Amino acid sequence: MDLRAQDTVKPEEAASRQSMRAFLSVLADAGDLVSIPDAVNLDYDLAACLAEADSGPALRFVDVKGSGTSTLPIVGNLLNSLPRFALAMGSTTRDMQAALIAAIEKPLPHRLVSSAPSQERIISTPSLLDELPIPRFFEKEGGPYITAGAIVAKDRASGQTNLSIARLMPLGGNRAFVGIAPNHHLAILARAAHARGETLDIAVCIGNHPAVLIAACLYLGLGDDELPIAGALLGEPLEVISCTQSDLLVPAHSECVLEGKLDAGEPFVEGPVSEFHGMYETYGAGIVATFSRLTRRHDATFQVILPGYHPEHCLLGGVAIAAGLRRVVRNAVPSVYEVAVGVGGAGRLHAVVALSTPRPGEARKAMFAIWAAVNLIKQVIIVDDDIDPWNPIEVERACATRSQPDRDHVVIPGVRADRSEPLEQGGTITKLGIDATRRAGDREDWDLARPPAAALARARDILSRHKLI
């Protein structure tokens, strides 16, 4: 495989800048999209390629073997770094959390269109494994998985709409297991429909602009519609179209859309499945969906997100969770500067909170606000705002030089655990908080040893002329 061969993607019309293709074009222009011409098997080989290059360029597979009658190319590793997220949001790594919070607080209404690329082809009662190139990722899992499906659902009784993301394992023909936790809003809507003797209309949208995926990963309240947030991230109303067999509104520029129904009364036992922490979990019975339609572009590209402990999977959760946590913490601790939920903690388990000139007691108050907001978070480290919370080396240095364990470590045993917590025992886990902020009484001088600012400026000028920085 020649990883030096850069891909080219034709730019779309201006109206289609909301598509995954538009983002692929940006990656191609930056040299961050590589096309793999070699034949790659859907069973494990494609996952192995993504895993071995999980911190590198986005990959496009054009010769996929073992995909039934499907000839669709596959792309993956699109959002495997913070700069990629910033690029997708038209921001910088420093400003993108504020941009995401602004989008949450000022969503843009949709723009309904009458025709869309996502409905250029319509397949009734689709055989999922024949129509779509769905990979098998890991050896102990029970089958292949759709991993980049943004799922739109709406409760018929309340009108509550939900956008979320979940894994789907085909079960043969047009049926698939949907992997959602019992407290997942999609599961709540499905159970409510079942209690009324109904199924829940859903649409699984595959191959979306990153703004849609980021919105789908947000932790908002039940009934808060995440889809308008995608429009705010794009800076314009998201173009949507009605599904062909329901009144659900889906992104018009998706590559593929599976229209179907979720039945909370039809359980299926999934077996071992990879989780964000990199190991397997067995959750028991889940819910089954039946799909009546597949609509897609005539030249669709199938997107995958490498699951397990890999950067894209971790950061999709981490970036969204961190933004939500910053909103929550600022209500309790106004000095919050930024929150990080990084890859080291699998994008779910560890949070770092930077505070600006915290007052006594605010560090601990921030810890408890984090734990109350997201049950998954096990460890919280509080740092000053001169520390980049997304930089694990800076955070570790703060812990090493500003924290005294007997005074600054908070250990809370016996806290209710999430089902995906890797060390859960009897439904509980111990939480750890670390206050790594400076205390005036610990040192007289906190200044870092470094050359004067003028000397550093001259050094940067010299080194830049030699293309060293």
Side-chain angles (χ1 to χ4, degrees):
M1 299 180 186
D2 184 5
L3 290 181
R4 297 168 297 177
Q6 295 179 2
D7 204 355
T8 57
V9 178
K10 294 180 180 179
E12 291 204 328
E13 298 176 359
S16 298
R17 63 178 291 270
Q18 301 182 1
S19 67
M20 180 182 74
R21 298 178 176 213
F23 186 62
L24 290 175
S25 293
V26 172
L27 293 181
D29 290 343
D32 283 337
L33 176 64
V34 172
S35 185
I36 306 296
D38 308 58
V40 177
N41 290 319
L42 267 185
D43 284 0
Y44 308 123
D45 288 359
L46 186 139
C49 289
L50 292 172
E52 289 297 304
D54 68 357
S55 296
L59 300 182
R60 186 171 186 266
F61 301 90
V62 297
D63 187 3
V64 180
K65 301 300 183 185
S67 56
T69 59
S70 171
T71 59
L72 304 186
I74 295 177
V75 293
N77 285 353
L78 270 62
L79 294 170
N80 57 4
S81 69
L82 291 177
R84 294 268 185 89
F85 276 83
L87 184 66
M89 288 190 271
S91 185
T92 64
T93 54
R94 173 61 68 185
D95 296 332
M96 69 178 185
Q97 187 166 95
L100 182 48
I101 291 172
I104 295 171
E105 295 178 346
K106 293 185 178 180
L108 290 178
H110 309 315
R111 179 186 297 125
L112 183 63
V113 297
S114 58
S115 62
S118 60
Q119 294 182 355
E120 289 174 342
R121 295 276 176 86
I122 298 177
I123 298 98
S124 296
T125 318
S127 173
L128 302 183
L129 291 174
D130 288 327
E131 297 292 344
L132 298 173
I134 306 172
R136 286 184 73 117
F137 292 97
F138 305 122
E139 57 187 344
K140 289 186 179 181
E141 292 180 330
Y145 280 94
I146 296 171
T147 55
I151 305 176
V152 177
K154 185 170 73 171
D155 185 274
R156 293 177 191 168
S158 67
Q160 292 178 327
T161 304
N162 179 251
L163 174 70
S164 60
I165 190 166
R167 64 188 181 276
L168 288 86
M169 182 173 70
L171 300 178
N174 63 337
R175 298 169 68 250
F177 167 88
V178 183
I180 45 178
N183 61 341
H184 192 292
H185 290 170
L186 183 60
I188 294 172
L189 296 182
R191 289 197 301 271
H194 180 65
R196 298 192 301 268
E198 302 171 356
T199 54
L200 181 70
D201 289 332
I202 63 169
V204 181
C205 309
I206 306 164
N208 297 283
H209 188 281
V212 175
L213 289 179
I214 295 168
C217 293
L218 291 169
Y219 279 39
L220 302 181
L222 181 63
D224 293 335
D225 189 359
E226 294 85 357
L227 204 54
I229 295 169
L233 288 173
L234 288 164
E236 63 184 27
L238 182 71
E239 293 186 346
V240 297
I241 190 166
S242 293
C243 284
T244 64
Q245 292 194 314
S246 74
D247 62 353
L248 293 179
L249 301 178
V250 296
H253 298 285
S254 299
E255 296 290 313
C256 310
V257 178
L258 285 165
E259 301 181 13
K261 297 180 181 296
L262 196 57
D263 187 354
E266 184 179 359
F268 179 84
V269 178
E270 178 182 26
V273 61
S274 62
E275 261 298 1
F276 55 83
H277 49 61
M279 296 171 282
Y280 295 95
E281 297 288 352
T282 301
Y283 292 128
I287 300 176
V288 172
T290 303
F291 297 102
S292 56
R293 288 277 175 89
L294 165 64
T295 72
R296 67 172 180 86
R297 293 171 178 263
H298 73 278
D299 59 347
T301 295
F302 191 78
Q303 182 184 8
V304 303
I305 295 168
L306 180 64
Y309 183 68
H310 293 281
E312 183 171 29
H313 187 209
C314 292
L315 286 173
L316 269 168
V319 168
I321 291 170
L325 286 174
R326 181 173 165 186
R327 292 182 71 218
V328 170
V329 173
R330 73 183 180 189
N331 293 328
V333 183
S335 62
V336 64
Y337 178 72
E338 188 166 8
V339 178
V341 181
V343 175
R348 312 289 193 283
L349 300 176
H350 289 182
V352 182
V353 182
L355 301 181
S356 299
T357 318
R359 294 184 298 172
E362 283 193 329
R364 293 199 178 201
K365 192 172 183 180
M367 294 174 193
F368 284 95
I370 293 283
W371 289 324
V374 176
N375 190 51
L376 267 170
I377 301 292
K378 178 167 56 176
Q379 175 180 287
V380 181
I381 299 176
I382 311 297
V383 297
D384 297 290
D385 62 3
D386 66 323
I387 300 296
D388 178 0
W390 293 98
N391 186 321
I393 294 176
E394 290 190 24
V395 173
E396 185 174 0
R397 178 170 64 83
C399 291
T401 61
R402 303 179 183 184
S403 175
Q404 297 190 38
D406 62 330
R407 180 191 68 190
D408 298 323
H409 286 205
V410 179
V411 179
I412 312 292
V415 181
R416 183 177 64 84
D418 190 272
R419 70 172 192 164
S420 57
E421 161 57 48
L423 296 179
E424 170 267 334
Q425 295 288 335
T428 67
I429 193 66
T430 296
K431 307 273 186 173
L432 173 64
I434 300 175
D435 181 354
T437 59
R438 291 169 296 205
R439 304 286 185 92
D442 285 348
R443 287 182 60 86
E444 293 182 2
D445 181 9
W446 288 99
D447 289 343
L448 293 177
R450 56 187 311 181
L456 289 171
R458 289 193 297 272
R460 285 192 290 268
D461 182 58
I462 292 169
L463 297 175
S464 64
R465 289 202 299 271
H466 292 278
K467 298 182 179 179
L468 296 175
I469 58 174

